[in-house]
Amino acid sequence: MSTEPGTTEPDEPGDRADATPDAETAEDAGAEEATKDAAAGAESADGASDLSEAQAELAAQKLERERIERRKAEKKGPVTAGAKLSGTAADLLAAVRAVEGGQKPSATVFAEPEPAPRRPAPEPVRRPEPVAAPVAVAPSGETVGAVRAVLAEGGAPQTLAPQVAEALGEGAGDRLREDPWQLLRVVGVRPEQADGFARALLGAECGPDDERRGRAVTVWLLEQAAVAGHTALEMPALTAALAQRAVPDPDEAVRSAVAEGEALIFQDALDDAPPVAAATDVEDDEEEPERPVRVLVGLERYALAEESLADGLARIVNSLPKDDTTDWASAAASAPRPAAELIRAVAGDGLVLHTGGEAARAEPAALVAAARALGLRAYAATHSADGRRRFAALLDGAGTGGAAPDDAGAGGSAVVTVGGLLAGAEGPGRDAEGAFALDLLVVLDAPQLDVETAAVLVESLPDGARLVLSGDPGVLWSAGPGRVFADLLAARACTQVSSRTPDPGPLGELVSGIGIGELNQVEAPGKEVVIVPVRDAGEAVHRTVQLVVDSVPRAFGVPAEQVQVITPGHGGAAGTRALNTALKERLNPGPGRFGGFDPGDRVVHSPVPGRATPGRVVKADAEGLHLECAGGAVVVPKERVDTAVRHGWALTAHQAVGHRWPAAVVVLPGDAGTALSRPWVYTAFSRAERHLSVVHGVEQMLPRAVAEVPPKPRTTRLPALLKAQVPPAG
């Protein structure tokens, strides 16, 4: 590793789907931070005339969740005897019940049956096509107007009216007047702001002990916990946060929220804790001691997702066909040695976890190629379009161009994005029962799966299909709630294959050391790694611009548009906002006449939380801002530009996950030390393919973060649910 105290010129001698605007800090928040501000707005899908992929994916996930809810309700509902009988059998049962009840049986039961009607010829089975998702219906003008009047009466910004109307639905004005704290359902509104609004509307009737306030703040805290990555909160953490928000009786607030169906309570056994003997008046040696439990409170949507995910994973583990005639042995024998172990694992198990760095992706590529050579419908799904491009190149090298045996040109490539697969825009489509028409699915970038996406994905797999989750466990977790990949690894509920293929070169050596908590000095004869010390944030911005505009392009032949700047956060003197302003001034100066953007600007498009796609501004017109993202055209309506589009010369590590660039400049200003953790440093440093420059102003805080700051824990229920349904492997 080279250190250059006096210059930023690396050619001279001596030389975290972003989820939300503040997702970088939200990802690392613990349970005690669930009371912090909401992320600055959830991005919506594009409003182009044709349905966008993001809209289609959201609608597909909504429909899938509804289907899951119906299945859950059916499981919990009472079973009616004879409910599945039909025809004569059903009539006979009805007659028996009539006799038992003292009634006369129907005469038609014993009548001669009429000739069966002629059966029409069945329609030919057609391959299901992706169904266009319904476009969300905007609230009526009358509803928005009613909300605007209530907001004005309470002194709240009337610009919130469309968001309130969308959150509360028809009759939103009356609902808001009856319960002013419903304003907290709008992203970005804080409890103190809702309190002021309520005081203006209710006057003397408003108080901190209002039951409506307690319920609303409880739900708001659970939503903030979800932004921080938790799927539930432990009861003590939630009640403590409620007390901090001046809720007089936190326990009663939680009970009220549960009674109204706005939250759910769970009890998970603490298997690692010693049993506690129950207190009794009379000693009873035969009484079993009580096993300690932890009480959790969560929102229904995440509880349902975790339960559905556990159910789906158990189904995959248990539905592997026992009479499988696929010749996996020959495929493993002919595969490279690192991939052979993965192929053998997939041959014997329906669910397999695969861990490794960038170079290890060649192993799932060999698996997909081998499976397709055996005639199986095998597909790989990546987190980003850039990941799809890189994995497709590996697949080509493994001996397949990507067309499945039965694709017939429809659907095409063996490599898709997770969003495109769920939306039906990419991949094999679905069979008559709504399941993916495939035999093997390999999901790359698995740590980026949040619990809802993972649940929909797993529920969509047919019985007998195999699932491989592959990823680098050292990177930042998903922007959305849950830690699916980490929970599965910890639960040891299925076969795990750890790659022994290291990432090559000085960059690979540096990143591998960070993964085990060591920030090592590495030999970089080709200046693959360069350290640029700085004294303050102003110097950090200056040196960063110099590296991107001049030094890296001149020394390594990497154009400035292929050099990516990564920094810990959006704010601050050296955050993405400041760096993007400085880089735009040098690389594409302009007045920003289209909502702050000009044609040629590098941007990042976030149509939905947790997904960030780098792109470039093409033009703007009455339709909105036209972007080119991942080789496709995207139109962002002008009212969505400020929430869905950011300048993209500088990104956060969360925005950069799933992407790699020929060169990366990681900026660590002096005020960023507290935001650093081992996963953040690992993710940021591993985005570079050929060259990494580190603009270093945090001194000893960097090695301390790598050695001592692991990811902050997330509270989830998936491990307990898996333990109840899937026994540990082996």
Side-chain angles (χ1 to χ4, degrees):
M1 182 184 308
S2 302
T3 304
E4 179 192 84
T7 177
T8 63
E9 307 283 278
D11 55 327
E12 295 180 0
D15 200 335
R16 208 227 182 215
D18 128 29
T20 59
D22 295 314
E24 197 67 45
T25 55
E27 193 280 336
D28 287 327
E32 73 279 4
E33 294 175 331
T35 61
K36 290 189 176 179
D37 296 342
E43 292 86 3
S44 300
D46 299 336
S49 56
D50 292 331
L51 194 67
S52 72
E53 176 186 314
Q55 288 174 309
E57 179 187 347
L58 287 173
Q61 292 186 13
K62 180 180 178 182
L63 293 174
E64 187 67 22
R65 283 197 296 269
E66 292 174 354
R67 185 173 72 85
I68 294 169
E69 289 175 2
R70 288 196 298 271
R71 289 178 57 185
K72 291 283 184 183
E74 291 170 359
K75 291 180 180 179
K76 295 178 180 178
V79 178
T80 303
K84 295 189 179 294
L85 298 179
S86 60
T88 304
D91 292 338
L92 287 172
L93 178 62
V96 171
R97 288 177 175 170
V99 172
E100 291 175 345
Q103 302 175 5
K104 183 179 178 179
S106 172
T108 60
V109 173
F110 303 103
E112 290 291 328
E114 296 181 4
R118 188 174 180 179
R119 297 174 62 186
E123 292 186 3
V125 178
R126 297 184 177 89
R127 182 186 177 110
E129 298 293 333
V131 179
V135 179
V137 179
S140 65
E142 182 181 352
T143 300
V144 175
V147 171
R148 187 174 287 113
V150 178
L151 292 173
E153 186 178 343
Q158 297 182 42
T159 54
L160 294 176
Q163 296 170 266
V164 175
E166 185 176 353
L168 301 183
E170 292 299 323
D174 293 336
R175 291 184 61 188
L176 189 62
R177 187 180 299 278
E178 293 171 3
D179 185 355
W181 286 281
Q182 291 293 310
L183 191 65
L184 283 174
R185 294 187 180 273
V186 176
V187 174
V189 176
R190 294 163 52 89
E192 52 267 31
Q193 295 166 331
D195 288 340
F197 176 67
R199 281 193 298 270
L201 281 182
L202 302 178
E205 299 178 11
C206 178
D209 58 345
D210 194 300
E211 182 181 10
R212 294 168 294 182
R213 180 179 186 270
R215 283 199 307 268
V217 175
T218 299
V219 174
W220 181 82
L221 288 171
L222 293 174
E223 290 284 5
Q224 301 313 295
V227 172
H230 308 280
T231 59
L233 283 180
E234 294 193 22
M235 188 69 160
L238 178 58
T239 54
L242 284 165
Q244 290 176 359
R245 291 290 172 182
V247 175
D249 190 345
D251 291 329
E252 178 58 34
V254 175
R255 283 193 292 269
S256 177
V258 172
E260 292 295 323
E262 295 183 340
L264 298 175
I265 287 185
F266 314 95
Q267 290 186 353
D268 289 345
L270 296 174
D271 294 325
D272 296 335
V276 177
T280 58
D281 295 334
V282 181
E283 252 187 60
D284 186 357
D285 295 336
E286 296 182 358
E287 184 173 357
E288 293 184 3
E290 295 181 359
R291 183 163 293 281
V293 297
R294 65 171 183 169
V295 179
L296 299 171
V297 185
L299 298 174
E300 182 180 12
R301 59 182 292 190
Y302 303 123
L304 183 65
E306 282 191 301
E307 291 175 3
S308 298
L309 177 56
D311 288 345
L313 291 170
R315 176 176 58 85
I316 291 172
V317 170
N318 297 322
S319 67
L320 194 67
K322 300 186 183 303
D323 56 349
D324 186 9
T325 58
T326 306
D327 190 6
W328 292 103
S330 65
S334 59
R337 183 175 179 182
E341 182 181 1
L342 179 59
I343 294 174
R344 285 192 291 268
V346 171
D349 296 281
L351 177 63
V352 175
L353 306 182
H354 173 260
T355 59
E358 184 68 20
R361 294 163 79 97
E363 296 163 23
L367 167 65
V368 173
R372 294 170 79 84
L374 292 171
L376 299 179
R377 300 169 299 174
Y379 289 83
T382 66
H383 180 66
S384 66
D386 179 61
R388 177 180 59 191
R389 174 189 60 79
R390 290 183 282 113
F391 193 78
L394 287 174
L395 206 54
D396 288 338
T400 176
D406 59 348
D407 272 343
S413 176
V415 190
V416 300
T417 61
V418 171
L421 177 64
L422 292 176
E426 304 172 25
R430 297 178 183 262
D431 60 22
E433 296 182 354
F436 294 140
L438 51 74
D439 304 303
L440 169 66
L441 178 64
V442 178
V443 180
L444 285 303
D445 312 309
Q448 300 311 302
L449 286 175
D450 62 83
V451 67
E452 289 188 296
T453 303
V456 176
L457 196 68
V458 169
E459 283 283 341
S460 298
L461 291 176
D463 289 345
R466 290 170 164 87
L467 174 64
V468 177
L469 299 179
S470 176
D472 189 338
V475 300
L476 289 165
W477 290 336
S478 62
R483 32 165 272 166
V484 175
F485 194 57
D487 280 345
L488 282 169
L489 288 171
R492 307 197 69 81
C494 60
T495 300
Q496 300 181 16
V497 178
S498 298
S499 174
R500 299 178 181 83
T501 305
D503 289 340
L507 278 169
E509 182 182 350
L510 174 65
V511 172
S512 296
I514 293 172
I516 60 174
E518 299 176 358
L519 187 64
N520 300 318
Q521 294 283 341
V522 298
E523 295 294 331
K527 300 194 184 303
E528 293 87 350
V529 182
V530 173
I531 305 299
V532 183
V534 292
R535 293 183 297 272
D536 53 42
E539 186 180 4
V541 173
H542 172 74
R543 296 287 182 97
T544 299
V545 172
Q546 188 177 16
L547 283 164
V548 174
V549 174
D550 179 53
S551 301
V552 173
R554 178 159 47 86
F556 302 100
V558 178
E561 58 267 21
Q562 295 181 20
V563 180
Q564 185 59 57
V565 177
I566 301 172
T567 192
H570 294 298
T576 62
R577 297 186 185 97
L579 287 166
N580 277 316
T581 298
L583 288 163
K584 175 175 171 56
E585 184 178 347
R586 288 292 304 273
L587 293 170
N588 195 46
R593 59 186 181 276
F594 303 125
F597 301 95
D598 294 296
D601 278 358
R602 278 178 67 176
V603 295
V604 59
H605 178 224
S606 298
V608 293
R611 186 192 305 170
T613 304
R616 186 173 299 277
V617 176
V618 178
K619 64 176 183 177
D621 55 24
E623 293 183 40
L625 193 65
H626 292 250
L627 310 177
E628 181 185 356
C629 297
V634 176
V635 181
V636 183
K638 58 182 179 180
E639 64 271 14
R640 300 292 188 186
V641 168
D642 59 341
T643 57
V645 184
R646 288 179 176 271
H647 282 108
W649 286 283
L651 305 176
T652 64
H654 253 309
Q655 291 174 315
V657 167
H659 305 272
R660 280 168 64 89
W661 291 267
V665 178
V666 177
V667 184
L668 304 176
D671 59 356
T674 56
L676 299 182
S677 65
R678 185 187 307 163
W680 193 96
V681 178
Y682 185 96
T683 302
F685 283 22
S686 61
R687 298 308 93 195
E689 293 177 337
R690 292 170 47 194
H691 172 76
L692 171 67
S693 284
V694 181
V695 179
H696 192 347
V698 292
E699 299 179 349
Q700 293 304 309
M701 287 186 285
L702 177 59
R704 187 178 302 120
V706 170
E708 302 174 6
V709 187
K712 288 188 177 179
R714 294 183 174 188
T715 304
T716 66
R717 298 183 60 234
L718 185 58
L721 293 169
L722 285 171
K723 189 162 189 177
Q725 299 197 48
V726 185

